[in-house]
Amino acid sequence: EKQDRFSTKPADKAARTYIVRTIEFSPDSTKLAVAQSDNIVFVYKLGTDWKDKKSICNKFPQTSSVTCLCWPSMRPNELVFGLAEGKVKVG
């Protein structure tokens, strides 16, 4: 069976150029964090079925490109991300 595409969005609608740097599923697989080169992390809420609507439930604008993500299993409501400028943040 053919599956749907999962489209991402730019941080700024006027700018269309960005790279998806990394993605990370939440420990319970109900959310997907997408780190992009345009200085943002989007968190998408996923449905239980692939055809369910995917929606942005959080966005974390940053001061530089997001280079890595980690969703700690012991803290499922916190997302840790690293920035190109050397900072580590929790969202």
Side-chain angles (χ1 to χ4, degrees), residues 28-67:
D28 63 0
S29 299
T30 61
K31 295 178 184 163
L32 178 68
V34 179
Q36 301 177 183
S37 62
D38 58 351
N39 305 353
I40 197 156
V41 176
F42 284 114
V43 179
Y44 292 86
K45 180 181 172 192
L46 307 174
T48 55
D49 186 61
W50 183 256
K51 293 180 176 105
D52 290 346
K53 184 177 178 179
K54 292 127 187 93
S55 60
I56 295 171
C57 60
N58 283 312
K59 57 183 175 180
F60 302 103
Q62 300 304 312
T63 54
S64 68
S65 180
V66 179
T67 59

